[in-house]
Amino acid sequence: AQSVTQLDSQVPVFEEAPVELRCNYSSSVSVYLFWYVQYPNQGLQLLLKYLSGSTLVKGINGFEAEFNKSQTSFHLRKPSVHISDTAEYFCAVSDNTGFQKLVFGTGTRLLVSP
Amino acid sequence: EPEVTQTPSHQVTQMGQEVILRCVPISNHLYFYWYRQILGQKVEFLVSFYNNEISEKSEIFDDQFSVERPDGSNFTLKIRSTKLEDSAMYFCASSIWREGDEQYFGPGTRLTVT
């Protein structure tokens, strides 16, 4: 079984500052990794995913994440945040067998202030 | 851009009543999912559905829950006898393929059981 840990429940940051949202996972098999964003009163939107290949993955809205197999991490980064990035961010994993259910972390609320 | 839709956006029901939550997945998608998010908690997998049958379900998905694809477009989640602890946001998702594919999420139905 897989599990995902997002240690930071909330990350406050000023506009135009860099940010890193941490994600660690646990799995006995190979996994696929995802970051989803949830804006208030909306569904989940995929930011980026790692399936294989290059460990640095670029996504939408200027976000990127790096897969580190030895540290079982998949941290999300953005070099300069905007007010509009204020949202809940979820890290998720699925294994490469079965029917690809997503296992989510508890989420990190990114609060961007001016 | 195609999107997953869900109705209703908010459903209030009394304990013990049956509810049906409806979803219209993206038309060419083949894999369908239900997830739920209890307020303040992580998003949890309930069930996946492919080729008109359940492919995987979680321990949350007990005999009170059922899913159906009654026609070529709708995908429903039924809760036979709601309990207070069923109060949550329920998300429908769909994907084209299985392995590593993005799951597209609907905006959710907020279910409140009183």
Side-chain angles (χ1 to χ4, degrees), chain A residues 4 32 34 36 38 41-46 49 51 90 94 96-106, chain B residues 31 33 35 37 40-45 48 50 55-56 91 98-108:
Chain A
V4 177
Y32 300 130
F34 305 82
Y36 279 84
Q38 184 180 32
N41 301 314
Q42 294 187 29
L44 297 158
Q45 180 184 6
L46 182 71
K49 63 182 178 182
L51 304 183
F90 292 94
S94 69
N96 57 7
T97 61
F99 284 86
Q100 302 295 292
K101 70 177 183 188
L102 291 171
V103 175
F104 286 87
T106 50
Chain B
Y31 297 87
Y33 310 83
Y35 293 82
Q37 184 181 28
Q41 299 186 23
K42 68 171 76 174
V43 177
E44 301 173 290
F45 168 78
S48 58
Y50 169 70
S55 46
E56 187 174 359
F91 293 106
R98 188 186 78 189
E99 188 163 343
D101 189 43
E102 173 182 356
Q103 292 181 24
Y104 291 79
F105 283 77

Side-chain angles (χ1 to χ4, degrees), chain A residues 50-90:
Chain A
Y50 172 80
L51 304 183
S52 65
S54 172
T55 57
L56 183 62
V57 180
K58 294 189 183 298
I60 62 171
N61 301 341
F63 284 93
E64 63 181 32
E66 185 152 21
F67 170 59
N68 187 318
K69 189 174 181 179
S70 62
Q71 298 188 3
T72 60
S73 67
F74 190 55
H75 301 332
L76 181 71
R77 295 192 290 259
K78 186 169 182 179
S80 176
V81 296
H82 303 291
I83 297 285
S84 59
D85 292 323
T86 295
E88 190 89 17
Y89 292 80
F90 292 94

